[in-house]
Amino acid sequence: MESSLELTTSLPGTSLPPLRSRIFKIIVIGDSGVGKTCLTYRFCAGKFPDKTEATIGVDFREKVIEIDGEKIKVQLWDTAGQERFRKSMVQHYYRNVHAVVFVYDVTNAASFRSLPAWIEECRQHSLGQEVPRILVGNKCDLRDAVQVSTDTAQKFADSHSMPLFETSAKNPNDNDHVEAIFMTVAHKLKSQKPLVLSQPPPGMEGTMPMRKSEEEEERNAWACSC
Amino acid sequence: MYLKKSKSVGASSPLNGIGKQDWDARRKRKVGEITQALSVTPVDVAALRRMAISEGGLLTDEIRCRVWPKLLNVNTDNLPEKPAEDIRENHKDYHQVLLDVRRSLRRFPPGMPDEQREGLQEELIDIILYVLDRNPQLHYYQGYHDIVVTFLLVLGERLATVLVEKLSTHHLRDFMDPTMDNTKHILNYLMPIIERVNPEVHDFMQQAEVGTIFALSWLITWFGHVLSDFRHVVRLYDFFLACHPLMPIYFAAVIVLHREEEVLDCECDMASVHHLLSQIPQDLPYETLISRAGDLFVQFPPSELAREAAQQHSQQTAASTFKDFELASAQQRPDSVLRRRRKDQAMAAQAQAQSQSQAMVAVRPRAKRLVRLAVMGLTVALGAAALAVVNTALEWAPKLDLQLFP
Ligand SMILES: Nc1nc2c(ncn2[C@@H]2O[C@H](COP(=O)(O)OP(=O)(O)O)[C@@H](O)[C@H]2O)c(=O)[nH]1
Ligand SMILES: [Mg+2]
C-alpha cells in the first residue's frame, strides 16, 4: 500500500481538532451471491434489504460511526462478484484500501473454495497480510443447509492469519453481529498509528508518509492476534 | 399482461411547459406518421428512427412491438420455437443467470402478482440462455438481464427473443466479449465528451480520480438497472435503438453535465464523486437530455473523440482505442473474433451462422465509409446505426446514402 496513510490537516501533538473526519476505506469481496450487498447494506442502513440486485461494477456505502468520541467515516466498497468485472473494472477501487473483508456463503462450498483466488487477487493489488483482513461466513441463519463447517473455515482463516466471523445479514437476531464485525475492523484501523486521515487537500499529497517499518509492525500484530 | 397497462407510456407531456392539448395534438399526429411509415413498402425505417428519437419516442408499447423490430431489421415472420428445457442446466452461465434473475424483482411493476412475475422470470432465464447457447461467442455479464427484461416486458417472450439476439450480436456485442476490455474502452469516451463541453467539470473529476465505473451499469444496461420508472427506460430504449451504439455513452455524459453544479459542489475525492454520480436522479428531463445527447454526438462524433483519446494516452492505448473505435462505431468485432468465429463455425458447420459471418465481413469496409460521413456532422447518429443492423450491407447502403445524406 502506498501513500494512503498520510497525515494531513491535523498533526499529532497539535491541540486543534481534526478539520476533517477520518475515513476508513474497506473493500468487500467474494463470489457472486454470497451476500456482500446485504452485509454492507445491513451495516450502513441497519436492516436487511428487502430487494437486492446484482451489483454491477462497484457500489459505495458509507456510515459515520463514533469511536472514543471521534467521528469516523466508514466507506464500504461493495464489488461485483462476477469474474469478468474484476479483471478490468474493479482494479481502480483497490487503491488506497485500508482493510479487506472476504465473504463466503456458509451454504455454498464453492464460494468457500474461491477464497484463495480472492486472496491472491488482493495480493496482486498489494493488499497482503500487512493490511487488516477478515473472513466472513454469511447466511448462518440457514442452519440446515450449511456446507462449510466452522472448523474448516477456522483452519483456513488461521492459515491466512485472518480472524473469522460467522454471521447472517438476514437474521434479525444477528443485527448486532454484522455491526460488530465492521466495528471490529474500524477499531483495529483506529488503533493503527499514525492516524488514517481523509484524502489530503490538493498540494498535500505525499506529505509525511508513515515509516514503513512501524506500519508493518503494527499490521502484523493485528494479523496474528486473532 | 403488464404490457398493455403501460400502453400510455409517454402519454403525459414529456416536455415541461407544453400545454396538454398541444401535446395531445402532436401525439396524435405522431401516431399517424408512425403508422404511415410502417405501412409503406419497404417500410420507411429512416422515418421510424426519427420518430423514435424525437420528443416522446415511440409513445406506446403497442407501437414499440411494431417498430423495434424494424429498427433492428429483424424479420418477425417466423419466430423461434420455445427452446428445449435442457439447455438450461448445461449452460456454463446458468447459475449466474439464475442468481441475477431471481433477485431482479425491482425490474417488474410493483403491483404485479408474484405468480405472474415468477412466470416472466422463467421466461427471462429462457431467453438469455437461448441467445447464449446459440451464440457461443457471447458471454453473459451481470446487467445483461436488465436489458433483456425490458424487451420481455414490452414485447413478450417470442418477439423479445429474436430482438435480444440481434441486439446482442450488434449493439451489446462489445460488452459480451470474454473480457470487459472493450467495455472499458467505450467508457473511455466519457471523459473526452465531458471535457469538450465543460472542462471545469472534467478537471474536477480527473482530480478526484473518480474513474468511470459509476457509469458502467448505465452503459451496459442502457440505464435499465438504475432507472426505477419503466416508462423512462423504454423511452431511452427507443432512442438508443434508433441510434449509434455509442449513444448511451453520450447520454451518460449528458447526465453528468446536467449535474455539473452538484458535481462541482461535491468534495473532490473519489468516494464522494462516485457516490454522487452513481445515484442517478429519477426526475431527469429526459427529452431535453436526449436531444442534447444527439447534439453532442453530431458535434463531437466518436471518431474525433477516439483521435483525442489516442493522443492523450498515446503510449498504451493509441492503437487499441482506434481499433476499438472502429469496432464500436461500426459494431464490428475485432478481426480476431471474426477469425475465431469462422473457426468455430467451421467446426460447427452451421450454415446459418456462416452466412451471418460473411455478411459481417462484407459490412466492414462499408461501415468505415459511413463513419467518415458522420464526422462531417451530417446526421444525428442515423447513418451508422442503420448500418449496424443490416444483414446485407450492399442491399442497404446505397439507399442509406441517399436518404440520410441528401
Ligand atoms: N438466508 C439468507 N440469505 C441471504 C443472506 N445474505 C444475503 N442473502 C440472499 O442471498 C442473495 C444474494 O445476496 P447479495 O447481497 O445480493 O449477494 P452479493 O452478490 O454477494 O452482493 C440474495 O437473494 C439475498 O437475499 C443471509 O444472511 N441469509
Ligand atoms: Mg452484490
Side-chain angles (χ1 to χ4, degrees), chain A:
Chain A
M1 286 228 329
E2 6 89 296
S3 71
S4 72
L5 296 174
E6 289 154 274
L7 291 174
T8 57
T9 40
S10 84
L11 299 171
T14 60
S15 54
L16 290 169
L19 295 178
R20 303 166 175 225
S21 55
R22 289 204 266 176
I23 295 177
F24 294 161
K25 179 174 169 182
I26 302 171
I27 193 164
V28 182
I29 59 183
D31 276 8
S32 199
V34 296
K36 298 180 296 298
T37 300
C38 290
L39 284 167
T40 54
Y41 187 92
R42 170 124 223 156
F43 176 67
C44 294
K47 57 179 192 208
F48 188 71
D50 32 303
K51 293 171 190 174
T52 62
E53 288 187 90
T55 307
I56 298 175
V58 180
D59 277 344
F60 169 85
R61 291 185 187 84
E62 179 173 75
K63 181 175 180 171
V64 177
I65 57 168
E66 211 176 297
I67 304 181
D68 305 334
E70 183 190 347
K71 284 199 167 38
I72 290 168
K73 261 189 202 170
V74 176
Q75 296 182 342
L76 300 180
W77 293 83
D78 173 24
T79 59
Q82 200 190 4
E83 186 162 350
R84 56 192 292 110
F85 287 97
R86 298 187 235 156
K87 291 233 168 82
S88 51
M89 290 294 168
V90 177
Q91 287 163 0
H92 189 69
Y93 298 87
Y94 275 100
R95 288 194 304 167
N96 306 337
V97 161
H98 302 122
V100 183
V101 175
F102 295 97
V103 186
Y104 68 96
D105 172 353
V106 296
T107 69
N108 177 352
S111 73
F112 183 74
R113 286 195 299 270
S114 299
L115 288 170
W118 286 109
I119 291 170
E120 172 57 20
E121 174 162 311
C122 270
R123 209 191 47 75
Q124 281 170 8
H125 290 96
S126 313
L127 295 172
Q129 297 206 355
E130 70 284 0
V131 177
R133 303 174 308 163
I134 64 164
L135 182 60
V136 174
N138 187 37
K139 307 199 190 179
C140 283
D141 55 297
L142 304 172
R143 275 169 227 283
D144 299 337
V146 170
Q147 289 184 0
V148 183
S149 74
T150 305
D151 254 15
T152 315
Q154 187 64 59
K155 282 204 187 84
F156 180 83
D158 288 346
S159 72
H160 289 273
S161 314
M162 290 190 269
L164 169 72
F165 300 87
E166 288 184 322
T167 190
S168 160
K170 186 175 192 176
N171 188 339
N173 299 331
D174 269 337
N175 190 5
D176 289 339
H177 203 164
V178 173
E179 170 127 12
I181 292 169
F182 286 103
M183 287 302 282
T184 308
V185 178
H187 270 105
K188 182 64 216 170
L189 287 170
K190 182 168 186 287
S191 72
Q192 283 187 332
K193 284 180 285 184
L195 304 179
V196 179
L197 291 170
S198 65
Q199 302 213 335
M204 295 269 311
E205 278 99 334
T207 49
M208 305 189 68
M210 88 196 262
R211 272 188 15 246
K212 185 76 179 169
S213 56
E214 196 182 343
E215 181 184 19
E216 262 166 12
E217 243 168 63
E218 181 64 32
R219 283 173 177 170
N220 288 338
W222 153 258
C224 304
S225 66
C226 302

